[in-house]
Amino acid sequence: MHKIEQKKKFGQNFLTDQSVIERIVSIAGQLENKSILEIGGGSGNLTKHLIKAKPKNLIVVEIDKDYVETLSKILQSSTVKTTLISEDILKTDIYRYFSEPPVIFGNLPYNISSQILVKFLKFNVWPPKFNDLILMFQKELANKITGKYLTTNYGRISIISN
């Protein structure tokens, strides 16, 4: 496979450290026979580890058409039921692909990560349509998400996420 350059317009930043990827997957606990959504499969590094967890099904959303072939090969070689959706996560009704609430993973692109988080946290019905969100953010945004009242990081995103 030829190396595909990361694209600034998609805010791409790929996970490459295998021990970090393993820790991310382990945070979710037991994934066997669960439904999983991965936002931004990119080069497939996290995808491969999610497949190893033996979920019931794995749906990967990737907007960058350059990674569709790579991800298709990874998903087709799996014994897990998989689907690749080549669309913008912000414009996709992902829940139509699931019969049960999924566990959602994402190493989110920095330029739209707050919009993605808000998409999942703004819901009208309790419980939400997902089981867990395991999302990676740029440090500055993570500080705003966890911002405490009367601090400089406190704002709309911390109110929504709290």
Side-chain angles (χ1 to χ4, degrees), residues 34-81:
K34 290 188 178 179
S35 294
I36 297 177
L37 168 69
E38 181 186 5
I39 301 167
S43 58
N45 294 331
L46 178 59
T47 309
K48 292 173 190 173
H49 284 272
L50 293 173
I51 289 170
K52 288 180 190 176
K54 300 180 183 170
K56 180 193 302 185
N57 64 330
L58 170 62
I59 295 177
V60 179
V61 178
E62 175 57 60
I63 192 171
D64 189 343
K65 306 291 186 223
D66 288 344
Y67 286 99
V68 168
E69 182 180 347
T70 300
L71 287 167
S72 291
K73 287 178 183 176
I74 292 167
L75 296 175
Q76 289 170 358
S77 68
S78 166
T79 57
V80 172
K81 178 183 172 194

Side-chain angles (χ1 to χ4, degrees), residues 3-65:
K3 182 171 172 33
I4 302 169
E5 293 297 320
Q6 296 177 4
K7 295 178 186 72
K8 190 172 186 171
K9 72 177 182 177
F10 293 133
Q12 294 170 328
N13 183 18
F14 300 124
L15 296 169
T16 56
D17 186 319
Q18 296 303 306
S19 64
V20 170
I21 296 168
E22 289 169 8
R23 280 195 317 225
I24 291 166
V25 174
S26 71
I27 287 170
Q30 180 58 258
L31 293 172
E32 190 169 350
N33 294 319
K34 290 188 178 179
S35 294
I36 297 177
L37 168 69
E38 181 186 5
I39 301 167
S43 58
N45 294 331
L46 178 59
T47 309
K48 292 173 190 173
H49 284 272
L50 293 173
I51 289 170
K52 288 180 190 176
K54 300 180 183 170
K56 180 193 302 185
N57 64 330
L58 170 62
I59 295 177
V60 179
V61 178
E62 175 57 60
I63 192 171
D64 189 343
K65 306 291 186 223

